[in-house]
Amino acid sequence: MASHRKSRTPGTRVAGIRTPALATAALTSVALLSQTANASPGEDRPSLEEVEKKVGDLYRQAESATEKYNAAKEKTTKQRKRVDTLLDDVAKRTQKLNDARSELGSYAAAQYRTGAGMPDTATFLLAETPQDIFDQRQVLDRMTGRQKAAVDDYVTQQTETMKKRQEATESLRTLTETQGDLKTAKATVQKKLADARELLSKLTAEEKARLAAIEKRKQEEAARKAAELARQQAEQEQAREEAAQQGGGASEGSGSTGSAETPPADSSYGTKAEKALAFARAQIGKPYVWGATGPGSYDCSGLTQAAWKAAGVSLPRTTYDQVNAGTTVPVSQAQPGDLVFFYDDVTHVGIYIGNGNGMMIHAPKPGTYVREESIYYDGDSAIHSIVRPA
């Protein structure tokens, strides 16, 4: 009787051991299952490089929104003060108007008691607008000097009060708009940071380690570039000293000191820069908090503003304004205390340390602390400009 059992494929199993081909297939299946388990159903898991880029973009977008928040907050604060001042002024002028109305009313009552027809003074009290009053000027011809003075005072107070009320109304409208901008910017910052945290939370321990390794390599490359910049600056300084010793000074055409548009910083600037840097160094280790201006935490522009304030120099609040608060110089001519701005939208800033190391002090991003770092921390192309603020 013929057996119906299927014959075993030759080479499939030898002494219970799978062939290399099947073992490889099994391992591949396990790997695929593992990847599927780590990924959400129906989700294409991004590569580590994609996650790194996306997180970096989200942080930069959050920083951009932070600067918009800072600008809106500053504008809101100023506008609120203006509204308060106008409302106080309106209250004072309303009181003066009421006093003028009372005096005018006393004349109207006196005219009524004497049996006069239509009280001339009352005509002005019945007027609803300044134009109504000016249209009744002929009535003044029948008034005494004191009545005319009372009418003039009433007209002046009513006109000024209405003007201030209109200004207050417009200022309140502007305040409402700036508060809306503030709320929008705040929501944007929070959303971008939440998205970044969510992306990072999906990484495995191995992926986080690899991400840290990538960041370390970037820092090493940034440090190398910073050292190269420091070497170039040292050579320029040596060239200037040699030219001075030869009696020729630093010639304009030597290329070592820059053009007349970007002169080297003077001694007074150096003194201020030392104070600014001393303050910045004292903040190292304090957390980055968006919108913060100290003393316990800072964002990037909050730190630079506070540092230069310690040196007696008033800088604007935002990076957008700080970049215009001084003289722009080439990177090769950066000196201690200069502000280093980053990205095309000018959304980050640090304080250059120089002195042979090409480093800066800055408040980098959420989750980090004020620290020293290469000005090339995000690559050459990230540097927007160098500005000497005083």
Side-chain angles (χ1 to χ4, degrees), residues 210-279:
R210 288 168 55 199
L211 195 62
I214 292 174
E215 180 63 24
K216 183 179 180 180
R217 287 196 297 272
K218 288 176 62 177
Q219 291 178 352
E220 290 173 348
E221 176 62 15
R224 185 192 67 77
K225 292 180 178 179
E228 175 62 20
L229 172 63
R231 184 189 65 77
Q232 293 174 356
Q233 290 178 330
E235 290 177 352
Q236 291 177 358
E237 181 61 27
Q238 182 178 359
R240 284 194 292 268
E241 292 177 356
E242 290 176 352
Q245 290 174 358
Q246 294 173 1
S251 62
E252 293 184 1
S254 65
S256 62
T257 61
S259 65
E261 288 74 16
T262 56
D266 56 26
S267 59
S268 64
Y269 176 80
T271 300
K272 295 174 183 177
E274 287 178 5
K275 293 179 179 179
L277 284 170
F279 179 93

Side-chain angles (χ1 to χ4, degrees), residues 2-3 12 72 232 239 298 303 322 370:
S3 173
T12 300
Q232 293 174 356
Y298 297 88
L303 175 64
Q322 288 183 8
V370 176

Side-chain angles (χ1 to χ4, degrees), residues 45-314:
R45 189 171 177 81
S47 68
L48 190 61
E49 290 73 16
E50 291 173 335
V51 171
E52 181 198 24
K53 182 180 185 305
K54 182 62 176 177
V55 169
D57 289 343
L58 286 169
Y59 277 136
R60 281 191 289 275
Q61 291 166 16
E63 198 162 30
S64 176
T66 294
E67 291 304 313
K68 292 179 181 178
Y69 170 87
N70 292 338
K73 184 178 180 181
E74 185 177 42
K75 186 176 180 180
T76 298
T77 300
K78 291 180 179 179
Q79 194 64 27
R80 185 176 289 114
K81 290 180 179 178
R82 173 171 171 75
V83 167
D84 291 342
T85 299
L86 285 170
L87 290 177
D88 287 343
D89 196 6
V90 167
K92 293 176 182 178
R93 291 187 179 279
T94 299
Q95 182 58 50
K96 290 181 179 180
L97 176 62
N98 290 336
D99 292 342
R101 181 181 286 112
S102 296
E103 184 177 1
L104 203 57
S106 66
Y107 287 114
Q111 288 175 333
Y112 184 78
R113 288 195 299 270
T114 60
M118 178 64 181
D120 292 337
T121 309
T123 302
F124 290 89
L125 292 174
L126 295 175
E128 295 182 355
T129 67
Q131 186 61 48
D132 293 337
I133 297 174
F134 290 121
D135 290 342
Q136 299 162 357
R137 281 296 184 182
Q138 68 275 9
V139 179
L140 288 173
D141 296 335
R142 302 194 297 272
M143 293 182 177
T144 66
R146 291 183 62 184
Q147 285 178 309
K148 290 180 180 180
V151 168
D152 286 340
D153 183 45
Y154 178 74
V155 171
T156 299
Q157 296 303 331
Q158 187 184 52
T159 302
E160 289 300 318
T161 300
M162 293 182 65
K163 179 180 178 181
K164 289 299 179 182
R165 284 176 179 170
Q166 181 62 32
E167 289 182 15
T169 299
E170 293 176 355
S171 292
L172 281 169
R173 187 182 300 111
T174 301
L175 176 59
T176 301
E177 292 174 354
T178 57
Q179 288 175 328
D181 293 340
L182 186 66
K183 183 178 180 180
T184 299
K186 181 178 180 179
T188 301
V189 174
Q190 293 173 332
K191 178 66 166 59
K192 298 300 181 183
L193 295 181
D195 289 346
R197 286 193 295 268
E198 182 180 1
L199 276 174
L200 292 173
S201 69
K202 294 180 179 180
L203 297 179
T204 65
E206 180 185 355
E207 287 173 329
K208 290 178 180 178
R210 288 168 55 199
L211 195 62
I214 292 174
E215 180 63 24
K216 183 179 180 180
R217 287 196 297 272
K218 288 176 62 177
Q219 291 178 352
E220 290 173 348
E221 176 62 15
R224 185 192 67 77
K225 292 180 178 179
E228 175 62 20
L229 172 63
R231 184 189 65 77
Q232 293 174 356
Q233 290 178 330
E235 290 177 352
Q236 291 177 358
E237 181 61 27
Q238 182 178 359
R240 284 194 292 268
E241 292 177 356
E242 290 176 352
Q245 290 174 358
Q246 294 173 1
S251 62
E252 293 184 1
S254 65
S256 62
T257 61
S259 65
E261 288 74 16
T262 56
D266 56 26
S267 59
S268 64
Y269 176 80
T271 300
K272 295 174 183 177
E274 287 178 5
K275 293 179 179 179
L277 284 170
F279 179 93
R281 286 192 181 95
Q283 313 314 309
I284 289 177
K286 293 183 178 181
Y288 174 103
V289 174
W290 64 272
T293 57
S297 58
Y298 297 88
D299 62 17
C300 66
S301 56
L303 175 64
T304 52
Q305 183 188 49
W308 272 101
K309 182 178 180 180
V313 177
S314 178

Side-chain angles (χ1 to χ4, degrees), residues 349-368:
V349 62
I351 306 177
Y352 188 61
I353 300 174
N355 289 336
N357 60 14
M359 305 284 279
M360 67 177 174
I361 299 174
H362 71 148
K365 59 185 178 182
T368 62

